[in-house]
Amino acid sequence: MKDTLTGVRLSRRSLARAAVLVAGTLLCPGAARPALARHGWGDGGCFLRGTRIRTVQGYRHVESLQAGDLLPTRFGGWRPIVAVHRHTATRNRTSGFWAREDRPVRIGRSALGEGAPRKDLYLTSAHALFIDEVLVPVGNLVNNTSIAFDDMPGRDHLEYFHVELEDHDVIDADGAACETLLHDVRSDAAVGPGRASARVRKERCAPLLAFNGGRNELRSRLRSATCFMGDRRNRLDMIRDRLEERGLAASKL
């Protein structure tokens, strides 16, 4: 009975979300989610100032980190920071909105699991979380309860930080598993001695699952809406639905 009720709630909720996606696409074609544009640094979203990153010395605010600090990582053990990059976002004075790539997503305390994160965590929508051995951009997990866009009323500027390691990896941000910066690096060896350096793509540390467009997200919602008739959801659908159920359950406590 419990599974049946959960399926009914999921179906109703997914149909409602699908209707919102359709309406949003028709009324504002250019504003369809997910907005996963990247900053000039390349792939890998940003941490908002105040985010605490686990280091060899315990949790420290991201803005206090510097090259050489050691971080525990999911795949490479203890690794030194190569660089910490800063980016300041400014609210559009005319529209009153943030650029889509700068709009923060709030991940509520324990939204991903008990103590993950330990407190509300703010990331850009492109920033991927490491969940069930895959990477998922947080913008694809917005459910408007435990994970939601936050327009930060009263603030006109936001300071974001990228954490770059030698290789792409996963680090602990306030108890949540988050990716580090992934971008191209210059390599002289790649093109041979005496020749100009080239851009070499770093390898992603884990598979990335993303909707990559409003139509794919709409299809996902329709799969969830009809799952009680035969579950055809993919891995990303199920991750999103599970976290959404968790958020709804927590909101009723």
Side-chain angles (χ1 to χ4, degrees), residues 172-206:
D172 181 331
D174 276 315
C178 299
E179 70 170 337
T180 59
L181 179 65
L182 172 68
H183 70 159
D184 296 347
V185 294
R186 291 200 175 275
S187 173
D188 295 326
V191 293
R195 300 178 64 183
S197 62
R199 302 298 287 186
V200 178
R201 186 67 171 177
K202 287 185 179 180
E203 292 187 5
R204 201 178 298 276
C205 66

Side-chain angles (χ1 to χ4, degrees), residues 11 222-234 237:
S11 297
L222 293 176
R223 287 192 295 269
S224 294
T226 58
C227 67
F228 66 96
M229 296 186 296
D231 198 344
R232 296 184 179 179
R233 293 177 298 166
N234 62 30
D237 301 338

Side-chain angles (χ1 to χ4, degrees), residues 98-176:
W98 302 102
R100 288 189 296 171
E101 64 269 22
D102 293 325
R103 190 182 182 191
V105 176
R106 176 188 59 80
I107 306 170
R109 180 179 177 274
S110 296
L112 309 175
E114 190 59 36
R118 299 171 185 270
K119 67 181 187 69
D120 288 359
L121 174 65
Y122 294 86
L123 307 173
T124 51
S125 61
H127 205 137
L129 300 169
F130 186 65
I131 303 173
D132 294 352
E133 303 300 316
V134 295
L135 294 165
V136 182
V138 67
N140 287 164
L141 300 175
V142 168
N143 53 40
N144 296 323
T145 53
S146 59
I147 304 175
F149 286 105
D150 190 327
D151 285 325
M152 294 287 181
R155 300 181 65 175
D156 293 325
H157 303 280
L158 297 174
E159 193 171 10
Y160 287 111
F161 296 80
H162 292 288
V163 177
E164 181 182 0
L165 307 180
E166 183 177 357
D167 298 304
H168 190 236
D169 214 318
V170 172
I171 59 176
D172 181 331
D174 276 315

Side-chain angles (χ1 to χ4, degrees), residues 19-32:
V20 170
L21 284 170
V22 171
T25 301
L26 292 176
L27 295 175
C28 305

